[in-house]
Structures are given as structure tokens and as C-alpha cells.
Amino acid sequence: DLVSFFLDEMAVAHAWQTLLGGRASRMLPHPIHLPPGLPLHFVVESALQVQDGRLGIGFASSTLRFPLFAVESFSVFLFLACVCNLVLLFVGRARREAYSAAIRFAFGARIANEVHFAVVEVSILAAAGCALSIPIAWSAAHFISRAIQSMPGFDTMETIHPSTSLTLEATAVLFLAAWLAVAAISVWNSQKTGGPMLRTGSRPATMRTNAWIIGFEVFASILLISASFTGFLGFQHLVHQPSGFSSEGTVLASLDMEASSTGTDNNSGLVTSKETRILDSITHSPGVRSVATINVAPLTGGLARDTIAVRGEDGSLRQQTVWPAEVSDQYFSAIGTSILRGRGFTHDDTEGEKICVVSRRAASSLFGSRNPLGEYLYHIATGAEKQPAVVYCRVVGVADNAHFTSISDPADDVVYRLSRQEWPNLVVRAETSGLAMGAIRSAAEVVDPAALYGDMSTIQQNIDDDLRLRKVITQSGILSAGVAAFILGIGFFGILSIQVVQRKREIGIQIAIGASQVQICLSLMKKFRRAVVIGLATGSGLALIASENLAKVYGLESRYAIWGYIGSLVFLGVLLTVAAFVPLMRALAVSPMECLSSE
């Protein structure tokens, strides 16, 4: 239910953005202002970009495909692991009660009675488990829903909880799996129990059917733990990678001057005058270092694309899609993006030819190994007839890479062109973010209180919002891996404990004839060696594939996937050692005299 609502919400948000240009939708974090006098065909081609109505759903599906697949995969593996532990529990119970069951069968009990008793018992346990898990599931859905609400554009989305029908379906699947498991175990054990056990007075032999269950749990655990390790490394990589912006004292805000102007004030001249007064007031506020404007603010959910051309060494024009950033002269000092080569902008550059600064990634894509300084970029207009290329700008500098679209995506190919007009999106850098926000708020209140559009945010807040969905998925993976490891630990502990109880006489004899502690431990582990090795081998293959794909999603190198797999192996080894410690200590503490005297 949460996923379907999320898809519908994204479709509505994208429809507003497409049809209205973002001006009338409060879902969008920043308004889109079009310069007065701009030709209609340019608006349609470059600003609105009318698309197929199905793009909203397609965009949402492509965005959520990986997170949904990851969460669903975690759920399936956890469900199978829980079923395996349930089977282990009732196999151990059936083997432990085999002698009592043989007595009941000797007095006329039927297989149906055993199945009925086992089904009642597992129903009570499943009901208790559901009573505990349903509140946890609702809390998890509430957490995910609130995380989505905190993302830009989804603050109006309702808080979603699992529906009653979905809860009943999940509960029915759980009960059905439990009933089928215990019924099959009861029938199988009843066929193995009979008169020979009563005539000889012997207990059932050591169970041999549990090894494949432990093998599957090892398979599921290594896969989930390896994926969670790689996801954790990938998320840490995203958090600590350079964004290209300064996170100290940099604040983004938007002015909606047209919306705030009324009556005779609603003309472009007075709007520009108000914006200039606000910018001057912010500039002269205490603690403010730099103030700049930009057409589309970075990491706010906006998107800017344009196609420019560069002339090659053979004289031909080669087109390239870039992010066109229209900025004012103090932009680089305000946002904190470093100039690597050449220079930035000055106020004197507003006169004369159009100049621009390209990002390091854009310089590599456009010019290759050539020196970009002094080169020209061209714009090729499209219309009824092909127009000749016009000069877009001359490159005067190369800036460091910056992530405008998302931190989780590669750095954008950005072309910063010095704008000769002031855009409504502000970038203010001060000694602290509090001083920057105070300066913006004070300037807007003095000039026009209605000019401040939406909430102000720091660069770090935008980075955190951008990574919030990844953070939720990473946390879900770690939680799933932790639950899977806990289930494996309980299963391994339980099955070894049963082994120690059933083989107590054999262990006592081994100790009496001088077997070492290592030999006793190896003899107990021998029953599960093959299953664990097979589960580990098959799980490792899928774990490496999953880790490799996760590494690509997070933009990591292959070595991170290998490190994630190695970390999961170490963790799994420690887990099995801890789970086996108590049963093995009990086995080593068996008294040979007590075992032999009871014969």
C-alpha cells in the first residue's frame, strides 16, 4: 500500500511540474521564473518539456525499482529463514518426543492426533509471534513513510500504515507455512516411530535431517550479511564523498517576487528593484561573506538540461548534454566550489562577450585532453529550419566537480555561465548558517515579507534529504541481516544443544577412552560440515554477484564488494563460534562415570 501511494504521489508531482512549470505546485521546493519577453517556442522546448503522461509512473518505477527489490528480497529471505527455524524447532521436538509418541501409538493413537496436537501448538506460537510483530511492522511502515515525507516534494503525502487486508494476508501466509511444516514433520516422524523402539527401549538415533536446514540458513545469512556490509560501505562512501559545495555556513533560499507584487507594482522593473534591494541588504548584513543567485539551486529536486556543441580539432561541431547553470559573479565564493584552473567571474565580466566556467567532468567530456581555457561553446537552435550555431560562451576557468542532481549520481557536467540578470534562487554564505538565515529573513521582511518562498535550507540539509531514501534502505538491509544472523545463531545453538543431549553417552565414552577436546568438537560438527560448506559456497556466489551490483549502484569499485564479502565471512565465523560455544562447553563437561553408570 505504501509503495502504490508513493507511485501515485510521484506521478501527481511530476504532472504538476510538467504542465505548470512548477509555479503552481507547492510540492516543488523552488519556483521556476521565466525571464520576461522570452519567446513561446523557447519556453515550450527548453522549460516545460511536454512529455507523455505515463512518464510520472515510469520515472517513479525506475527510481524505486532498486529499493523495492532490495526490501522485498530481504523480506523473502527472512521469511524463509524463519520457516527453517520453525522446522528445526519441531524436528527437534518430534525427535525428543519420539519415545512418548511410540507409547501413544501403542495405546491406539492415530497420526491425525499427532498432527492435530502439533498444529495447535504451532498455532499458539504463531499467534504470539504475530501479536509481537504486527506493531513492529506498523512502526517500520510509519518510519519509512515519515522518511519519504521528509524528501523534497513529498511533504504533503499522508502517513501510510499497512492495511488490514495486507496484514491478514501476511498472517495467513505465516500460519499456512507453519501448519504445512509441522504437519509434514509429524507425519514423517510418526512413520519412523513404532514397536521396535518400545521393544528395545532405545531412543531415536541422532537426527540427520537438520543439516540441510542449517545449510540453507548459512546460504541466506551470507547473502544478506554480505549485501548489508556492501550497502553500508556504499552509503558511507556517499556520505563522505566531496559534494563540490561548502557545507559550512552556506544557505539556499528562493524569492518569489512576482507572486509577492500586487497592483501597480507587478511589473518587471519594480520586481528587479525589489530583488536588488534584498540582495544588497543581505550583502551588508553582519557575518555575511558572499551572496549569489542561480537559476536552479543544486540538490533541491530541480533539473536543468541543455545541449551545447564544441568544435573539434577537425572543425566539426560535437554536441553534448550539460547542466546549464546561470549564476551571478560571486557564486563560486558563496557555494564553496573551488576553481581549479583559470579564474572565476568578476563584476566587470557582465559587460562584453559571454564567458563561462566548466566543471572538471564537463571539461573532460567536452575537450578531452585539450586545454579548455579560451575555447568556445556553441548553441545550436532547433526549429522549423536548422539555424546556424551561435556562440554560447567562452571558457575562462575550470571548477571542481559538483553534484547538482543527486549525491548518489555521478557529478554533473556543469557549464556555469555568468548571468546578466539576477535569478530568484539565492546562495548566501556567512560565518554560520544561522547568521545567513537571519540575514535573508531580515532583508525580506524589510523589503517585502511575502518575497521569501518556502523554507530556507543549508547545503548539508539538502545532502541529508537527498540521501535519506538510501539511508532507509541501508538501515533496512542492516536490520534484515541482523535478524537473519540472530535466526541462524539460534538455530545453530539449538541443533548443537540437541546433538549434545542425544549423544551424551557417546561423548562420555569418547572422553573415557582419551579423546581430546578438539576431536569431540569436530565429531559434533561433522554432521553439518557438508551442509554448511554447500550453503556457504552457493551463498558466496550469489553474495558476490549481489555485492558487485550494489557496488555499482553506490558508485563503488569492485574491491568494496570483495571487502563487504570478506567482512560478512568474518562476521559469520564469529557468529557460529559464539552460537556453538555453550553447547560445546556442555559437551566437554560431560562426566564419563555418570554416563557409564547409567547403563
Side-chain angles (χ1 to χ4, degrees):
D1 291 351
L2 174 64
V3 171
S4 62
F5 191 92
F6 192 20
L7 293 176
D8 293 340
E9 191 79 8
M10 291 192 72
V12 172
H14 194 276
W16 275 110
Q17 182 180 12
T18 302
L19 297 178
L20 303 179
R23 285 295 310 281
S25 173
R26 67 193 185 101
M27 292 182 178
L28 298 179
H30 294 276
I32 298 177
H33 294 272
L34 301 177
L38 201 63
L40 178 61
H41 72 85
F42 182 84
V43 173
V44 174
E45 292 179 2
S46 303
L48 294 183
Q49 295 183 352
V50 178
Q51 304 281 354
D52 192 316
R54 294 170 296 179
L55 180 61
I57 294 295
F59 173 75
S61 299
S62 61
T63 302
L64 296 178
R65 185 177 293 114
F66 165 70
L68 295 182
F69 177 77
V71 172
E72 291 172 358
S73 300
F74 293 153
S75 303
V76 169
F77 277 104
L78 282 180
F79 178 76
L80 292 177
C82 291
V83 171
C84 286
N85 251 25
L86 187 66
V87 171
L88 277 177
L89 171 66
F90 279 88
V91 166
R93 172 195 172 278
R95 301 299 292 181
R96 188 172 56 253
E97 299 294 329
Y99 193 77
S100 300
I103 296 176
R104 290 194 294 269
F105 285 131
F107 280 95
R110 294 177 299 175
I111 296 179
N113 300 121
E114 291 295 315
V115 173
H116 178 264
F117 181 77
V119 167
V120 171
E121 186 177 6
V122 77
S123 298
I124 296 174
L125 292 175
C130 289
L132 293 174
S133 63
I134 288 177
I136 297 176
W138 280 57
S139 300
H142 179 78
F143 170 74
I144 296 176
S145 180
R146 294 301 297 266
I148 294 173
Q149 289 174 348
S150 63
M151 296 172 61
F154 294 96
D155 55 326
T156 59
M157 191 186 81
E158 298 178 4
T159 301
I160 304 300
H161 296 289
S163 63
T164 304
S165 60
L166 181 63
T167 305
L168 292 177
E169 290 174 4
T171 305
V173 171
L174 171 66
F175 273 85
L176 181 61
W179 290 338
L180 291 177
V182 298
I185 293 169
S186 298
V187 171
W188 172 82
N189 188 65
S190 299
Q191 294 175 349
K192 299 291 184 179
T193 304
M197 183 182 298
L198 295 179
R199 288 192 297 268
T200 60
S202 61
R203 296 288 177 176
T206 303
M207 48 184 171
R208 301 174 182 273
T209 57
N210 299 340
W212 67 270
I213 300 177
I214 292 295
F216 176 79
E217 290 189 351
V218 171
F219 164 82
S221 297
I222 189 66
L223 180 58
L224 289 176
I225 296 173
S226 179
S228 64
F229 263 96
T230 305
F232 176 77
L233 293 176
F235 183 75
Q236 292 300 314
H237 170 74
L238 293 179
V239 169
H240 294 97
Q241 74 170 339
S243 63
F245 313 114
S246 173
S247 59
E248 298 180 359
T250 303
V251 173
L252 302 176
S254 290
L255 300 178
D256 193 7
M257 301 305 301
E258 295 181 11
S260 65
S261 301
T262 57
T264 57
D265 289 342
N266 192 13
N267 60 76
S268 59
L270 290 181
V271 166
T272 303
S273 175
K274 283 186 177 182
E275 187 172 359
T276 302
R277 288 163 56 196
I278 291 177
L279 293 177
D280 290 340
S281 178
I282 296 174
T283 302
H284 294 91
S285 298
V288 174
R289 299 176 180 176
S290 300
V291 180
T293 62
I294 186 173
N295 56 345
V296 180
L299 299 175
T300 54
L303 184 66
R305 288 289 184 267
D306 199 2
T307 302
I308 61 174
V310 60
R311 195 173 298 280
E313 296 180 356
D314 58 353
S316 62
L317 291 176
R318 179 173 57 84
Q319 296 188 13
Q320 175 79 25
T321 300
V322 299
W323 181 294
E326 299 283 339
V327 301
S328 61
D329 56 278
Q330 295 188 39
Y331 171 78
F332 292 107
S333 60
I335 202 71
T337 304
S338 303
I339 299 296
L340 304 179
R341 300 173 61 184
R343 64 179 181 87
F345 301 126
T346 64
H347 183 70
D348 296 337
D349 292 329
T350 55
E351 303 294 336
E353 66 174 341
K354 298 178 180 179
I355 62 174
C356 58
V357 174
V358 297
S359 66
R360 177 161 51 91
R361 182 182 174 92
S364 177
S365 301
L366 293 170
F367 302 101
S369 59
R370 287 190 298 159
N371 184 7
L373 300 182
E375 297 284 348
Y376 284 90
L377 301 179
Y378 301 89
H379 191 276
I380 301 178
T382 56
E385 299 180 358
K386 188 141 186 180
Q387 302 294 326
V390 296
V391 174
Y392 185 74
C393 62
R394 180 173 63 87
V395 179
V396 298
V398 177
D400 200 1
N401 288 332
H403 296 262
F404 271 70
T405 305
S406 173
I407 293 294
S408 57
D409 294 335
D412 297 276
D413 294 334
V414 188
V415 175
Y416 305 91
R417 190 168 67 162
L418 182 60
S419 176
R420 297 180 181 178
Q421 68 178 45
E422 293 171 338
W423 293 88
N425 295 314
L426 305 182
V427 182
V428 180
R429 187 174 187 181
E431 295 179 359
T432 64
S433 58
L435 288 175
M437 291 182 178
I440 297 172
R441 193 177 293 109
S442 300
E445 289 177 354
V446 170
V447 178
D448 188 348
L452 191 59
Y453 179 89
D455 297 328
M456 293 176 287
S457 62
T458 65
I459 287 291
Q460 189 59 49
Q461 287 175 337
N462 289 353
I463 293 175
D464 294 339
D465 290 340
D466 180 68
L467 293 176
R468 183 165 279 109
L469 184 59
R470 301 274 180 161
K471 182 179 181 180
V472 171
I473 299 303
T474 302
Q475 291 175 341
S476 300
I478 294 175
L479 177 62
S480 300
V483 173
F486 183 71
I487 292 174
L488 174 61
I490 291 178
F492 199 61
F493 170 84
I495 199 170
L496 276 181
S497 298
I498 295 174
Q499 284 273 310
V500 171
V501 172
Q502 290 183 337
R503 298 177 59 183
K504 186 175 182 180
R505 176 177 174 272
E506 178 185 340
I507 295 171
I509 295 175
Q510 288 178 332
I511 295 176
I513 63 177
S516 65
Q517 294 182 350
V518 175
Q519 290 173 332
I520 295 174
C521 294
L522 291 178
S523 66
L524 288 172
M525 304 287 290
K526 184 178 180 181
K527 302 295 183 182
F528 312 103
R529 182 177 57 191
R530 178 178 300 178
V532 171
V533 170
I534 293 176
L536 187 61
T538 54
S540 296
L542 289 179
L544 286 173
I545 295 175
S547 299
E548 181 69 23
N549 291 331
L550 275 175
K552 292 179 181 179
V553 169
Y554 284 99
L556 299 175
E557 301 175 359
S558 299
R559 60 187 178 91
Y560 285 94
I562 298 177
W563 278 113
Y565 170 70
I566 294 175
S568 65
L569 280 181
V570 174
F571 180 81
L572 192 62
V574 173
L575 172 68
L576 295 179
T577 301
V578 172
F581 179 79
V582 174
L584 292 179
M585 290 299 101
R586 289 178 180 174
L588 297 177
V590 170
S591 172
M593 296 300 296
E594 180 183 347
C595 294
L596 296 177
S597 63
S598 63
E599 291 297 322

